[in-house]
Amino acid sequence: MSAPGAVLSQPQLPADRPPSLLPQIVLAAVCGGYAVGSALGWGSPEVALIMGDFGLSIAALVAAVSCALYARAVGSHSRPAWTLFAISSAMAALGNGIWGWYEVVEGAPVPSPSLADFCFLLFAPPAIVGLLVLAKRPVTRAGWVCLGLDSWLIGGSLLTLSWSLALAHTTHFQGRSVARCALALAYPLLDIVLVSMVLALHFRRGCAQRSAVNTAIAALALTVLCDALFTSPLLREHYRSGQILDAGWFAGSILLAYAPWFTRRVGEATEDAVRPPRRLPYAGARPLAGSLGALAPYLAAAVCTLGILTNVLDGQRLDRVVLFTGCTVVLALVIRQGIVLLDNLTLTQELAQKENHFRSLVQGSSDVIMIAAPSGVLRYVSPAAAGVYGRDAEELVGSELSALIHPEDLGRVLHEVRRFLAASPEEEPTTRIECRFRAGDRRPGGGGTSRSGEAGSGGGWLNVESTVNRHHGGLIFNSRDVTERVRLQAQLQHNASHDALTDLPNRALFTERVSKALAGRRAGDHGTAVLYIDLDGFKQVNDTIGHQAGDELLIQAAKRLGESVRSGDIAARLGGDEFAALITGDATCDPATREFRIHEIADRLRITLSEPYRIEGRDVRVAASIGVAFAEPGITPAGLMRNADLAMYRAKQAGKGRVELYAPQLQAEVARRAELATRLRSALHDGEFLLLHQPVVELATGRVTAVAAHARWRSAQGILFTPAEFLRVGERGRLADEGGDRTAELCRWHLEAAVEQAAARHRAGHRVPVAVQLSARRLLDRSLPPKTIETLLSRYGLPSGALVLELSESDARTPLDELERRLVALRRLGVRIALDGFGSGYAAIGALRRLPIDVLRLDRGLIDGVAESARLHKITSGLLRIASDLGMQSVAEGVDLPEQVLALRAMGCTHGQGAAFSGPLDEHRLRRVLTAGSTPLPSQAGPSRAVVLTGSGLPVRHGGSGPDAIVHPPLRSHSETSVPPT
């Protein structure tokens, strides 16, 4: 037998433990003792009478009590049968008791007929009905008719034989009364009926309580046999109580008492309910009981014929009773055979219909049904194999199942089959097995694929899922093709671990590969590194050409990256325009050598990614900033990727389009920025922000005409941070992401604080407008509700014309139509509009043409060299003429030197703001300046410097970091003032 055959063979189940023989031994000893006593006459006639009468009565009473107790204990359909057996035994016990009363107590012969005969006659009817209850009930009318005919065939044949042998002589006794003749015939006739039912039950009994029913049948058969011997005229004339015939009745009662409890002792009632049907030892075998049941009618007819022949051969005239009974038996046999023939025809038609039905189901099913023999050879394959496997069913029949399963899956399949066959059929009736199956050349749509890349003979391998059932020592496989499902699952798994746009590994898969690289690195493998790559200028590609072009650029960049890394390395897209590469190390231990090697690889990637991209017929250029971090002992995947990210950001800070290696001080800078960002989050709520105001001076007279409000953040060390400093904490947008809300909140605070303090100054008599810088984007987005400015003006009572909004951060993408409507609505309330940074971008010209502007604020870059550069002098003069021609007020920002004041005034600039007049002031110093009403102006006589109104010499914070960032106030403007002591 082949290996699969050994697997498919049924495992040997452990044999049941044999039941104890002690009850049978005790039962045989009791019955044998009674038989020996009866054979020896019990020692005396008196003891023989007692044992022959009251002994039988006690045995029958024990049977009655035993059957009644069992009927009360069980709850099955057999309870009425055992109750009737209890009544039958009770009648026998009462009859034997009455018989003993006559013989033992009264010492008189038993009259005939007597009350005891009446009780004995009542023994048979309950037993007959009880046997009918235990019999397997027919489900059709024809079945009931056949049951009645079978009973009559058995009973009629026995009656014929008995009448021919003995009953005919009984009816001819002279001098007897009618009652005695009827009694003499009643006993054998009831016994014949009881024997008929016993035989009928034997051929039609059910499976439940088989041992108990067999024992009860044996007990009743033994009782009927003794009754038949007792009714014989020769034996009846010489019968005395206590003889050997009583041993048969005694044994019958004891067996009936023992019968119901035999089931519980062996436990067959439970086993029959759960045990599967026993398999036949070989195909076509039939049990002996089934054969005898089929031959029973013919045996009955043979017995009837034997009775007639006995009567004829005896030389007597054929008795009318024998003739009538024989004719009815033959007629019953003919009727029964006719019914069986019709029943067989009906069953044959139903069987043919069911066979056609199941054949249609099997042949029309899309699943392949295969039956494997215990040897592992396929005995049957359904026609669906041609469509599923591409191979004819006849081609597969007779082949080894192991030869059709993929070698890589064969071991797993055999293990699952062994486990399934060893399991209990009730607990696990079926199992599922998935494997690859050899396909043929004629399979529609191709022959499938193999995970191992092998191609079998034919069309390849199919992924097949099979439901396996047990079948007469073999197995039934109900198989279906799940190749497309397996492919879809593999595709879904691939999609879950790869980027949908570029098909590169995503962040999750890249992190997993980094973890494996770190966990599997050798002790000398120091060169493993992570490259963090960001495309510089990608946002401009999306904004100018479109997102579709941006996607195409990412696809081309990913292709270049994948082709540029080595075969053992991995490239991934982490999101947006960020990529990464894992460079596996080698045995190089020299740090300088490994840094040079990785830097060379990273620089090659940078050059490759920075080459022009051909998109929509045009060349698009972006650069690549790359950060490199090496895997050090004890580092985690997240830590390694974070270090590479920090190095990449350092490359962008250093000018973009370059490669930077991670250094430990980068982490310290990150920690400092994180600490500053954490403090900034609570600064607004803790009242750490304040406003400083810088005067706007009329250049012709020195009069203060307005003040500009600037927000400052006062740290715990007393250092004032400008917006450029504390908003730079959110580098690469980390704070500005959460920072969007923070910036909006700061903007609202800035605007409200400026309006509130300006209203307080107006109430104090200082009626100068306040200028608040506000970006056009912030003015239009939802973080600043439309009625915010109107609500503030109304709440604090700031008069019309006392608020100037400085529009900053001009952007070509700003919707000018919407911005124009918003500014027009504000101008109706008396709010003046200033255009900040004029002269520093093309967007300012478009805003000047479309928007309702009142004030032009010249950019600081124009003012810095206006006194030295003739070119800047001409540009500034031209812009000032534009403002003058449009009737706008002009304000120069960053006027720090006296010569700048003189030059701007000569060119026609009306107002100025800067350190030449005053730095930003707190509220106390501002009110002193407003009380004075003007500031000193530099004269044309010499370059003497104007007095700069700053605070005390407290340190101020510039945009740098380190100890050099804290310096003393310079002579020129530093745009921030420390808080005066209080």
Side-chain angles (χ1 to χ4, degrees), residues 447-502:
T449 59
S450 170
R451 286 177 293 179
S452 63
E454 301 177 10
S457 61
W461 299 97
L462 298 175
N463 293 93
V464 174
E465 182 186 62
S466 302
T467 302
V468 185
N469 296 269
R470 298 173 178 85
H471 173 70
H472 293 302
L475 293 175
I476 298 178
F477 293 85
N478 193 343
S479 306
R480 61 203 63 87
D481 181 14
V482 293
T483 304
E484 291 302 322
R485 190 193 72 186
V486 172
R487 288 176 180 171
L488 179 59
Q489 289 176 346
Q491 184 63 39
L492 292 176
Q493 186 176 3
H494 177 84
N495 294 342
S497 58
H498 288 73
D499 177 60
L501 180 64
T502 62

Short mmCIF file of all heavy atoms in Angstrom, two decimals, residues 447-502:
data_model
loop_
_atom_site.label_atom_id
_atom_site.label_comp_id
_atom_site.label_asym_id
_atom_site.label_seq_id
_atom_site.Cartn_x
_atom_site.Cartn_y
_atom_site.Cartn_z
N GLY A 447 -3.85 27.48 -16.95
CA GLY A 447 -3.69 26.39 -16.00
C GLY A 447 -3.34 26.79 -14.62
O GLY A 447 -2.96 25.97 -13.81
N GLY A 448 -3.40 28.06 -14.26
CA GLY A 448 -3.09 28.45 -12.91
C GLY A 448 -1.61 28.70 -12.75
O GLY A 448 -0.82 28.66 -13.69
N THR A 449 -1.21 28.98 -11.55
CA THR A 449 0.17 29.35 -11.24
C THR A 449 0.63 28.58 -10.03
O THR A 449 -0.15 27.96 -9.31
CB THR A 449 0.30 30.86 -10.96
OG1 THR A 449 -0.56 31.18 -9.87
CG2 THR A 449 -0.10 31.66 -12.17
N SER A 450 1.92 28.66 -9.79
CA SER A 450 2.51 28.00 -8.63
C SER A 450 3.31 29.01 -7.85
O SER A 450 4.02 29.83 -8.41
CB SER A 450 3.42 26.85 -9.08
OG SER A 450 4.16 26.36 -7.99
N ARG A 451 3.17 28.99 -6.52
CA ARG A 451 3.92 29.91 -5.69
C ARG A 451 5.42 29.66 -5.82
O ARG A 451 6.23 30.56 -5.65
CB ARG A 451 3.49 29.76 -4.23
CG ARG A 451 2.14 30.37 -3.95
CD ARG A 451 1.73 30.14 -2.52
NE ARG A 451 1.50 28.72 -2.28
CZ ARG A 451 1.15 28.23 -1.09
NH1 ARG A 451 1.03 29.03 -0.08
NH2 ARG A 451 0.94 26.94 -0.94
N SER A 452 5.80 28.44 -6.05
CA SER A 452 7.21 28.13 -6.17
C SER A 452 7.76 28.39 -7.55
O SER A 452 8.94 28.24 -7.81
CB SER A 452 7.44 26.65 -5.80
OG SER A 452 6.76 25.83 -6.71
N GLY A 453 6.90 28.78 -8.46
CA GLY A 453 7.35 29.07 -9.81
C GLY A 453 7.49 27.85 -10.68
O GLY A 453 7.90 27.93 -11.82
N GLU A 454 7.12 26.66 -10.19
CA GLU A 454 7.25 25.45 -10.98
C GLU A 454 6.05 25.33 -11.92
O GLU A 454 4.97 25.79 -11.63
CB GLU A 454 7.29 24.22 -10.07
CG GLU A 454 8.45 24.24 -9.08
CD GLU A 454 8.42 23.05 -8.16
OE1 GLU A 454 7.62 22.15 -8.44
OE2 GLU A 454 9.17 23.01 -7.19
N ALA A 455 6.25 24.66 -12.99
CA ALA A 455 5.18 24.34 -13.92
C ALA A 455 5.12 22.85 -14.05
O ALA A 455 6.05 22.18 -14.44
CB ALA A 455 5.42 25.00 -15.27
N GLY A 456 4.00 22.28 -13.65
CA GLY A 456 3.88 20.84 -13.74
C GLY A 456 3.61 20.43 -15.15
O GLY A 456 3.47 21.21 -16.07
N SER A 457 3.54 19.15 -15.36
CA SER A 457 3.18 18.66 -16.67
C SER A 457 1.75 19.02 -16.93
O SER A 457 0.85 18.65 -16.21
CB SER A 457 3.39 17.15 -16.72
OG SER A 457 2.57 16.52 -15.77
N GLY A 458 1.52 19.76 -17.95
CA GLY A 458 0.17 20.25 -18.22
C GLY A 458 0.12 21.74 -18.04
O GLY A 458 1.04 22.48 -18.39
N GLY A 459 -0.96 22.21 -17.50
CA GLY A 459 -1.20 23.64 -17.43
C GLY A 459 -0.74 24.31 -16.16
O GLY A 459 -1.07 25.45 -15.93
N GLY A 460 -0.01 23.65 -15.28
CA GLY A 460 0.46 24.29 -14.06
C GLY A 460 -0.30 23.78 -12.86
O GLY A 460 -0.80 22.65 -12.83
N TRP A 461 -0.41 24.67 -11.84
CA TRP A 461 -1.01 24.28 -10.57
C TRP A 461 -2.19 25.18 -10.27
O TRP A 461 -2.15 26.38 -10.49
CB TRP A 461 0.01 24.36 -9.45
CG TRP A 461 1.17 23.45 -9.63
CD1 TRP A 461 2.38 23.78 -10.14
CD2 TRP A 461 1.22 22.06 -9.32
NE1 TRP A 461 3.20 22.68 -10.18
CE2 TRP A 461 2.51 21.61 -9.66
CE3 TRP A 461 0.31 21.16 -8.78
CZ2 TRP A 461 2.91 20.29 -9.49
CZ3 TRP A 461 0.72 19.85 -8.60
CH2 TRP A 461 1.99 19.42 -8.95
N LEU A 462 -3.24 24.57 -9.73
CA LEU A 462 -4.43 25.30 -9.30
C LEU A 462 -4.50 25.29 -7.78
O LEU A 462 -4.13 24.30 -7.14
CB LEU A 462 -5.70 24.65 -9.87
CG LEU A 462 -5.87 24.60 -11.38
CD1 LEU A 462 -7.11 23.81 -11.73
CD2 LEU A 462 -5.97 26.00 -11.94
N ASN A 463 -4.99 26.37 -7.21
CA ASN A 463 -5.29 26.39 -5.78
C ASN A 463 -6.68 25.82 -5.59
O ASN A 463 -7.66 26.35 -6.12
CB ASN A 463 -5.22 27.82 -5.24
CG ASN A 463 -3.81 28.38 -5.28
OD1 ASN A 463 -3.42 29.02 -6.24
ND2 ASN A 463 -3.06 28.12 -4.24
N VAL A 464 -6.77 24.70 -4.86
CA VAL A 464 -8.01 23.95 -4.71
C VAL A 464 -8.35 23.86 -3.23
O VAL A 464 -7.47 23.57 -2.39
CB VAL A 464 -7.88 22.53 -5.31
CG1 VAL A 464 -9.13 21.71 -5.03
CG2 VAL A 464 -7.64 22.63 -6.81
N GLU A 465 -9.61 24.10 -2.90
CA GLU A 465 -10.12 23.92 -1.54
C GLU A 465 -11.07 22.73 -1.55
O GLU A 465 -12.00 22.68 -2.37
CB GLU A 465 -10.83 25.18 -1.06
CG GLU A 465 -11.36 25.08 0.36
CD GLU A 465 -12.19 26.28 0.75
OE1 GLU A 465 -13.23 26.50 0.09
OE2 GLU A 465 -11.83 26.98 1.70
N SER A 466 -10.86 21.79 -0.64
CA SER A 466 -11.65 20.55 -0.63
C SER A 466 -12.31 20.37 0.73
O SER A 466 -11.68 20.60 1.77
CB SER A 466 -10.76 19.33 -0.93
OG SER A 466 -10.13 19.47 -2.19
N THR A 467 -13.58 19.95 0.69
CA THR A 467 -14.29 19.50 1.88
C THR A 467 -14.21 17.98 1.91
O THR A 467 -14.63 17.31 0.97
CB THR A 467 -15.75 19.97 1.86
OG1 THR A 467 -15.79 21.38 1.75
CG2 THR A 467 -16.47 19.54 3.12
N VAL A 468 -13.69 17.42 2.99
CA VAL A 468 -13.38 15.99 3.06
C VAL A 468 -14.37 15.32 4.01
O VAL A 468 -14.62 15.81 5.12
CB VAL A 468 -11.93 15.77 3.56
CG1 VAL A 468 -11.58 14.29 3.52
CG2 VAL A 468 -10.95 16.57 2.72
N ASN A 469 -14.96 14.19 3.56
CA ASN A 469 -15.87 13.38 4.35
C ASN A 469 -15.37 11.94 4.34
O ASN A 469 -14.69 11.50 3.39
CB ASN A 469 -17.30 13.43 3.79
CG ASN A 469 -17.89 14.82 3.86
OD1 ASN A 469 -18.54 15.18 4.82
ND2 ASN A 469 -17.68 15.61 2.81
N ARG A 470 -15.75 11.19 5.36
CA ARG A 470 -15.41 9.76 5.43
C ARG A 470 -16.36 8.97 4.54
O ARG A 470 -17.52 9.32 4.38
CB ARG A 470 -15.49 9.27 6.87
CG ARG A 470 -14.51 9.96 7.82
CD ARG A 470 -14.77 9.55 9.26
NE ARG A 470 -13.82 10.16 10.19
CZ ARG A 470 -13.96 11.36 10.71
NH1 ARG A 470 -15.03 12.07 10.41
NH2 ARG A 470 -13.06 11.85 11.54
N HIS A 471 -15.84 7.85 3.98
CA HIS A 471 -16.66 7.03 3.09
C HIS A 471 -16.13 5.61 3.07
O HIS A 471 -15.15 5.32 2.37
CB HIS A 471 -16.64 7.62 1.67
CG HIS A 471 -17.33 6.74 0.65
ND1 HIS A 471 -18.68 6.55 0.63
CD2 HIS A 471 -16.82 6.02 -0.38
CE1 HIS A 471 -18.99 5.74 -0.37
NE2 HIS A 471 -17.87 5.41 -1.00
N HIS A 472 -16.74 4.69 3.85
CA HIS A 472 -16.45 3.25 3.81
C HIS A 472 -14.95 2.98 3.74
O HIS A 472 -14.47 2.29 2.84
CB HIS A 472 -17.15 2.58 2.63
CG HIS A 472 -18.65 2.58 2.74
ND1 HIS A 472 -19.31 1.99 3.81
CD2 HIS A 472 -19.61 3.10 1.94
CE1 HIS A 472 -20.61 2.16 3.64
NE2 HIS A 472 -20.83 2.84 2.52
N GLY A 473 -14.22 3.51 4.68
CA GLY A 473 -12.79 3.26 4.73
C GLY A 473 -11.97 4.19 3.88
O GLY A 473 -10.75 4.23 4.02
N GLY A 474 -12.59 4.97 3.00
CA GLY A 474 -11.88 5.93 2.17
C GLY A 474 -12.33 7.34 2.49
O GLY A 474 -12.81 7.65 3.59
N LEU A 475 -12.18 8.23 1.52
CA LEU A 475 -12.54 9.63 1.71
C LEU A 475 -13.25 10.15 0.47
O LEU A 475 -12.98 9.72 -0.66
CB LEU A 475 -11.28 10.48 1.96
CG LEU A 475 -10.52 10.24 3.27
CD1 LEU A 475 -9.25 11.07 3.29
CD2 LEU A 475 -11.38 10.55 4.48
N ILE A 476 -14.16 11.11 0.71
CA ILE A 476 -14.84 11.83 -0.37
C ILE A 476 -14.30 13.26 -0.36
O ILE A 476 -14.34 13.94 0.67
CB ILE A 476 -16.36 11.82 -0.19
CG1 ILE A 476 -16.90 10.39 -0.23
CG2 ILE A 476 -17.03 12.65 -1.27
CD1 ILE A 476 -18.41 10.32 -0.01
N PHE A 477 -13.82 13.71 -1.53
CA PHE A 477 -13.31 15.06 -1.68
C PHE A 477 -14.29 15.87 -2.52
O PHE A 477 -14.54 15.52 -3.68
CB PHE A 477 -11.93 15.06 -2.35
CG PHE A 477 -10.85 14.44 -1.51
CD1 PHE A 477 -10.65 13.07 -1.52
CD2 PHE A 477 -10.04 15.22 -0.72
CE1 PHE A 477 -9.66 12.49 -0.75
CE2 PHE A 477 -9.05 14.65 0.06
CZ PHE A 477 -8.85 13.28 0.04
N ASN A 478 -14.83 16.94 -1.94
CA ASN A 478 -15.67 17.88 -2.68
C ASN A 478 -14.83 19.13 -2.91
O ASN A 478 -14.67 19.96 -2.03
CB ASN A 478 -16.93 18.21 -1.87
CG ASN A 478 -17.97 18.93 -2.70
OD1 ASN A 478 -17.69 19.44 -3.76
ND2 ASN A 478 -19.19 18.97 -2.18
N SER A 479 -14.27 19.26 -4.13
CA SER A 479 -13.22 20.24 -4.39
C SER A 479 -13.73 21.33 -5.31
O SER A 479 -14.58 21.11 -6.18
CB SER A 479 -12.00 19.56 -5.03
OG SER A 479 -11.57 18.48 -4.22
N ARG A 480 -13.17 22.53 -5.10
CA ARG A 480 -13.50 23.69 -5.93
C ARG A 480 -12.23 24.51 -6.18
O ARG A 480 -11.31 24.51 -5.36
CB ARG A 480 -14.56 24.55 -5.26
CG ARG A 480 -14.16 25.13 -3.93
CD ARG A 480 -15.37 25.46 -3.08
NE ARG A 480 -16.11 24.26 -2.76
CZ ARG A 480 -15.84 23.50 -1.71
NH1 ARG A 480 -14.84 23.79 -0.91
NH2 ARG A 480 -16.54 22.42 -1.48
N ASP A 481 -12.21 25.18 -7.31
CA ASP A 481 -11.05 25.99 -7.70
C ASP A 481 -11.13 27.36 -7.02
O ASP A 481 -12.11 28.09 -7.19
CB ASP A 481 -11.04 26.16 -9.23
CG ASP A 481 -9.85 26.97 -9.71
OD1 ASP A 481 -8.93 27.18 -8.90
OD2 ASP A 481 -9.86 27.41 -10.88
N VAL A 482 -10.11 27.69 -6.22
CA VAL A 482 -10.07 28.98 -5.51
C VAL A 482 -8.83 29.76 -5.93
O VAL A 482 -8.33 30.60 -5.17
CB VAL A 482 -10.09 28.76 -3.99
CG1 VAL A 482 -11.42 28.17 -3.54
CG2 VAL A 482 -8.93 27.86 -3.54
N THR A 483 -8.35 29.51 -7.16
CA THR A 483 -7.14 30.20 -7.61
C THR A 483 -7.33 31.70 -7.67
O THR A 483 -6.47 32.47 -7.23
CB THR A 483 -6.73 29.66 -8.99
OG1 THR A 483 -6.57 28.23 -8.92
CG2 THR A 483 -5.44 30.29 -9.46
N GLU A 484 -8.48 32.15 -8.17
CA GLU A 484 -8.73 33.59 -8.26
C GLU A 484 -8.81 34.21 -6.87
O GLU A 484 -8.35 35.33 -6.66
CB GLU A 484 -10.01 33.85 -9.05
CG GLU A 484 -9.90 33.53 -10.53
CD GLU A 484 -8.78 34.32 -11.20
OE1 GLU A 484 -8.60 35.50 -10.84
OE2 GLU A 484 -8.09 33.76 -12.06
N ARG A 485 -9.41 33.48 -5.93
CA ARG A 485 -9.48 34.02 -4.57
C ARG A 485 -8.10 34.15 -3.95
O ARG A 485 -7.80 35.15 -3.29
CB ARG A 485 -10.35 33.10 -3.70
CG ARG A 485 -10.68 33.69 -2.34
CD ARG A 485 -11.25 32.63 -1.43
NE ARG A 485 -10.22 31.68 -1.01
CZ ARG A 485 -10.46 30.59 -0.30
NH1 ARG A 485 -11.68 30.28 0.02
NH2 ARG A 485 -9.47 29.78 0.04
N VAL A 486 -7.24 33.15 -4.18
CA VAL A 486 -5.88 33.22 -3.65
C VAL A 486 -5.12 34.37 -4.29
O VAL A 486 -4.39 35.11 -3.62
CB VAL A 486 -5.17 31.87 -3.88
CG1 VAL A 486 -3.69 31.97 -3.53
CG2 VAL A 486 -5.83 30.78 -3.07
N ARG A 487 -5.32 34.55 -5.60
CA ARG A 487 -4.67 35.67 -6.26
C ARG A 487 -5.16 37.00 -5.71
O ARG A 487 -4.37 37.94 -5.50
CB ARG A 487 -4.94 35.61 -7.77
CG ARG A 487 -4.20 34.49 -8.48
CD ARG A 487 -4.61 34.45 -9.94
NE ARG A 487 -3.92 33.38 -10.66
CZ ARG A 487 -4.21 33.02 -11.90
NH1 ARG A 487 -5.18 33.63 -12.56
NH2 ARG A 487 -3.53 32.05 -12.50
N LEU A 488 -6.46 37.10 -5.47
CA LEU A 488 -7.01 38.34 -4.92
C LEU A 488 -6.47 38.60 -3.52
O LEU A 488 -6.13 39.73 -3.17
CB LEU A 488 -8.54 38.26 -4.90
CG LEU A 488 -9.27 39.48 -4.33
CD1 LEU A 488 -8.92 40.73 -5.12
CD2 LEU A 488 -10.77 39.24 -4.32
N GLN A 489 -6.38 37.54 -2.70
CA GLN A 489 -5.82 37.72 -1.36
C GLN A 489 -4.37 38.17 -1.42
O GLN A 489 -3.95 39.05 -0.65
CB GLN A 489 -5.94 36.41 -0.58
CG GLN A 489 -7.37 36.04 -0.19
CD GLN A 489 -7.45 34.69 0.49
OE1 GLN A 489 -6.50 33.91 0.46
NE2 GLN A 489 -8.58 34.40 1.09
N ALA A 490 -3.60 37.57 -2.34
CA ALA A 490 -2.21 38.00 -2.48
C ALA A 490 -2.12 39.45 -2.95
O ALA A 490 -1.27 40.22 -2.49
CB ALA A 490 -1.49 37.07 -3.47
N GLN A 491 -3.05 39.84 -3.86
CA GLN A 491 -3.05 41.22 -4.33
C GLN A 491 -3.43 42.18 -3.21
O GLN A 491 -2.83 43.26 -3.07
CB GLN A 491 -4.03 41.36 -5.51
CG GLN A 491 -4.04 42.75 -6.14
CD GLN A 491 -2.70 43.11 -6.75
OE1 GLN A 491 -2.05 42.27 -7.35
NE2 GLN A 491 -2.29 44.36 -6.59
N LEU A 492 -4.42 41.80 -2.40
CA LEU A 492 -4.81 42.65 -1.28
C LEU A 492 -3.67 42.79 -0.26
O LEU A 492 -3.44 43.88 0.28
CB LEU A 492 -6.06 42.08 -0.60
CG LEU A 492 -7.35 42.13 -1.41
CD1 LEU A 492 -8.48 41.45 -0.65
CD2 LEU A 492 -7.73 43.57 -1.72
N GLN A 493 -2.98 41.68 -0.01
CA GLN A 493 -1.85 41.74 0.90
C GLN A 493 -0.74 42.62 0.34
O GLN A 493 -0.10 43.39 1.06
CB GLN A 493 -1.32 40.33 1.16
CG GLN A 493 -0.21 40.27 2.21
CD GLN A 493 0.21 38.84 2.51
OE1 GLN A 493 -0.29 37.91 1.89
NE2 GLN A 493 1.11 38.68 3.43
N HIS A 494 -0.52 42.53 -0.98
CA HIS A 494 0.48 43.39 -1.62
C HIS A 494 0.06 44.86 -1.51
O HIS A 494 0.90 45.72 -1.21
CB HIS A 494 0.65 42.97 -3.07
CG HIS A 494 1.61 43.84 -3.84
ND1 HIS A 494 2.97 43.63 -3.81
CD2 HIS A 494 1.41 44.93 -4.64
CE1 HIS A 494 3.57 44.55 -4.57
NE2 HIS A 494 2.64 45.34 -5.08
N ASN A 495 -1.21 45.14 -1.76
CA ASN A 495 -1.69 46.53 -1.69
C ASN A 495 -1.57 47.08 -0.28
O ASN A 495 -1.34 48.28 -0.09
CB ASN A 495 -3.13 46.61 -2.17
CG ASN A 495 -3.28 46.29 -3.64
OD1 ASN A 495 -2.29 46.32 -4.39
ND2 ASN A 495 -4.49 45.98 -4.08
N ALA A 496 -1.78 46.22 0.72
CA ALA A 496 -1.70 46.69 2.10
C ALA A 496 -0.28 47.05 2.51
O ALA A 496 -0.09 47.84 3.44
CB ALA A 496 -2.26 45.62 3.05
N SER A 497 0.72 46.49 1.83
CA SER A 497 2.11 46.75 2.20
C SER A 497 2.87 47.56 1.16
O SER A 497 4.08 47.76 1.31
CB SER A 497 2.84 45.42 2.43
OG SER A 497 2.79 44.61 1.26
N HIS A 498 2.19 48.03 0.12
CA HIS A 498 2.85 48.81 -0.93
C HIS A 498 2.05 50.07 -1.22
O HIS A 498 0.83 50.12 -1.04
CB HIS A 498 3.01 47.99 -2.21
CG HIS A 498 4.05 46.91 -2.10
ND1 HIS A 498 3.84 45.75 -1.36
CD2 HIS A 498 5.32 46.81 -2.61
CE1 HIS A 498 4.91 44.98 -1.44
NE2 HIS A 498 5.82 45.59 -2.17
N ASP A 499 2.77 51.07 -1.70
CA ASP A 499 2.15 52.34 -2.05
C ASP A 499 1.32 52.18 -3.32
O ASP A 499 1.78 51.58 -4.31
CB ASP A 499 3.24 53.40 -2.25
CG ASP A 499 2.66 54.74 -2.68
OD1 ASP A 499 1.85 55.30 -1.92
OD2 ASP A 499 3.01 55.20 -3.78
N ALA A 500 0.10 52.72 -3.31
CA ALA A 500 -0.80 52.52 -4.44
C ALA A 500 -0.33 53.26 -5.69
O ALA A 500 -0.57 52.80 -6.80
CB ALA A 500 -2.21 52.98 -4.06
N LEU A 501 0.34 54.39 -5.53
CA LEU A 501 0.74 55.20 -6.69
C LEU A 501 2.02 54.67 -7.31
O LEU A 501 2.09 54.49 -8.53
CB LEU A 501 0.91 56.66 -6.26
CG LEU A 501 1.33 57.64 -7.36
CD1 LEU A 501 0.25 57.72 -8.43
CD2 LEU A 501 1.62 59.01 -6.77
N THR A 502 3.03 54.41 -6.52
CA THR A 502 4.34 54.05 -7.04
C THR A 502 4.66 52.57 -6.97
O THR A 502 5.66 52.14 -7.54
CB THR A 502 5.43 54.82 -6.26
OG1 THR A 502 5.38 54.41 -4.88
CG2 THR A 502 5.18 56.31 -6.33
#
